[in-house]
């Protein structure tokens, strides 16, 4: 069974960079595509991007200029960096994984990140 | 950019059938999946590849897709099924979510 856990600051100042890490426990780290998905308060789900264990990435075009997702296979972790944040980036950030089914089987519990001075 | 459209809300009486639709251009040519999200919880996959049910998901959840519309059907809806439901599909290696549908069981 795969479990995911997000970690990182819950408060980020405007114009700074949001950084989060997701730690994966269980087997099959190299079998999944690992993603970040966010949900603004009271709103729907927004896909941020994914990374494969090889380092291959793809990002949401609307966020691409500000997003970097990286992976550390030795630690079974992947990370999100979102630059130049504003209040609009306040959201619960989820890490999630999908395999050949192309559907997100596994989700972290989510972490609330607030952008405020 | 690709868009998926869901009705904001659907109401159903206990024991009845709930149908939640998801519309997108040529959605039937892609695989759609569905997630259930209850307040304060992470989403849970309930249907993948249009109509497949993950292990542990009750049989009352089913899915179908044709043309421009995918449909999540909940047969014999129970109070515990009250939640937000999101459809999702892939377009050009980018995941797209629908806006979500709040299912009320009353």
């Amino acid at each position: 069974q795969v479990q995911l856990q997000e970690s990182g600051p819950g408060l980020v100042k405007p114009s700074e960079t949001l950084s989060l890490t997701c730690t994966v426990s269980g087997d099959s780290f190299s079998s999944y595509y690992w993603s970040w998905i966010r949900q603004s308060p009271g709103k729907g789900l927004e896909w941020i991007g994914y990374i494969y264990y090889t380092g291959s990435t793809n990002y949401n075009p609307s966020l691409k200029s500000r997003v970097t997702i990286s992976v550390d296979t030795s630690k079974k972790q992947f990370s999100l960096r979102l630059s130049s944040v504003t209040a609009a980036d306040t959201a619960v950030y989820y890490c999630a994984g999908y395999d050949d089914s192309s559907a997100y089987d596994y989700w972290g519990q989510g972490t609330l990140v607030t952008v405020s001075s | 950019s690709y868009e998926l459209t869901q009705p904001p809300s659907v109401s159903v009486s206990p024991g009845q059938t709930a149908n939640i639709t998801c519309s997108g251009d040529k959605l039937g040519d892609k695989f759609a999946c569905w997630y259930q999200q209850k307040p304060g919880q992470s989403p849970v996959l309930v249907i993948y590849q249009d109509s497949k049910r993950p292990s542990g998901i009750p049989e009352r959840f089913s899915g179908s897709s044709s043309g421009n519309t995918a449909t999540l059907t909940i047969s014999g809806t129970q109070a515990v099924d009250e939640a937000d439901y999101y459809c999702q599909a892939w377009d050009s290696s980018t995941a797209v979510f629908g806006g979500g549908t709040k299912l009320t069981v009353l």
Side-chain angles (χ1 to χ4, degrees), chain B residues 31-97:
Chain B
F31 275 139
C33 56
W34 292 89
Y35 303 91
Q36 176 194 68
Q37 186 180 36
K38 296 182 179 180
Q41 298 184 17
S42 303
V44 173
L45 179 68
V46 294
I47 293 290
Y48 68 100
Q49 291 182 0
D50 293 340
S51 59
K52 297 180 180 179
R53 205 172 45 249
S55 173
I57 299 302
E59 291 185 6
R60 63 180 181 274
F61 288 88
S62 63
S64 62
S65 183
S66 180
N68 294 326
T69 303
T71 302
L72 172 68
T73 299
I74 309 173
S75 304
T77 307
Q78 301 179 7
V80 70
D81 300 326
E82 187 163 286
D84 293 328
Y85 291 85
Y86 295 90
C87 61
Q88 181 244 310
W90 290 89
D91 180 70
S92 301
S93 298
T94 298
V96 180
F97 288 94

Side-chain angles (χ1 to χ4, degrees), chain B residues 2-7 20-28 30 32 34 65-71 87-89 96-99 101:
Chain B
Y2 194 77
E3 294 184 358
L4 294 174
T5 301
Q6 300 180 235
I20 300 174
T21 58
C22 175
S23 299
D25 185 47
K26 298 181 181 178
L27 180 56
K30 311 176 189 293
W34 292 89
S65 183
S66 180
N68 294 326
T69 303
T71 302
C87 61
Q88 181 244 310
V96 180
F97 288 94
T101 298

Side-chain angles (χ1 to χ4, degrees), chain A residues 33-40 44-51 56-64 67 69 80 92-94 96-98 102 104 107, chain B residues 35 88-98:
Chain A
Y33 288 79
W34 303 108
S35 295
W36 290 97
I37 296 163
R38 70 181 183 179
Q39 186 170 34
S40 300
L45 301 169
E46 181 180 26
W47 185 77
I48 299 171
Y50 72 65
I51 191 164
S56 173
T57 57
N58 198 34
Y59 302 135
N60 186 325
S62 68
L63 298 170
K64 188 174 183 177
V67 171
I69 299 177
L80 169 70
V92 173
Y93 285 76
Y94 295 99
Y98 73 91
S102 297
Y104 287 99
W107 295 73
Chain B
Y35 303 91
Q88 181 244 310
W90 290 89
D91 180 70
S92 301
S93 298
T94 298
V96 180
F97 288 94

Side-chain angles (χ1 to χ4, degrees), chain A residues 23-96:
Chain A
T23 302
V24 180
S25 60
D27 294 332
S28 307
F29 185 81
S30 60
S31 299
Y32 284 82
Y33 288 79
W34 303 108
S35 295
W36 290 97
I37 296 163
R38 70 181 183 179
Q39 186 170 34
S40 300
K43 302 296 185 182
L45 301 169
E46 181 180 26
W47 185 77
I48 299 171
Y50 72 65
I51 191 164
Y52 195 45
Y53 77 100
T54 57
S56 173
T57 57
N58 198 34
Y59 302 135
N60 186 325
S62 68
L63 298 170
K64 188 174 183 177
S65 64
R66 299 194 292 131
V67 171
T68 302
I69 299 177
S70 58
V71 66
D72 185 336
T73 55
S74 66
K75 295 181 179 179
K76 287 200 210 175
Q77 293 178 335
F78 61 103
S79 299
L80 169 70
R81 288 174 57 85
L82 180 65
S83 63
S84 305
V85 297
T86 68
D89 294 308
T90 293
V92 173
Y93 285 76
Y94 295 99
C95 57

